[in-house]
Amino acid sequence: RAVLPITSGTRADGMVNLDDTRHCPVGPECEGCGRLEELAVLAGDTPVGVLCMTLCDSCEIAGVLPIFTPAEEATRVREHGGHVG
């Protein structure tokens, strides 16, 4: 996964880990299948950048990913950037 430089200086090396989902909110349902249980936030690569998404255990194991429009992807990438700092 890509690691981008940041200017806020939150880490000594000036880099942010885009896979870090500790501050990303867990959605109310799986974005792959709609399931309401066993949810977790995962980071995923898209053509426009890394975003966070809520998936259930089954979709994570099966590799089922939500389908976003390019506009949704861009919005989600920006939101994820806010979560990781």
Side-chain angles (χ1 to χ4, degrees):
R1 244 187 263 282
V3 180
L4 300 176
I6 57 172
T7 57
S8 65
T10 58
R11 285 184 37 181
D13 63 2
M15 303 295 276
V16 64
N17 178 3
L18 295 176
D19 289 330
D20 183 2
T21 59
R22 289 177 293 163
H23 302 293
C24 301
V26 177
E29 65 184 29
C30 175
E31 295 180 271
C33 71
R35 188 173 174 187
L36 302 175
E37 301 166 339
E38 299 178 1
L39 303 175
V41 179
L42 303 167
D45 289 320
T46 71
V48 296
V50 177
L51 54 76
C52 53
M53 61 190 128
T54 300
L55 293 178
C56 68
D57 290 344
S58 298
C59 284
E60 180 183 3
I61 292 168
V64 175
L65 298 174
I67 297 172
F68 299 114
T69 66
E72 289 171 326
E73 285 182 358
T75 299
R76 299 289 292 267
V77 167
R78 273 193 311 276
E79 290 172 348
H80 182 58
H83 303 153
V84 296

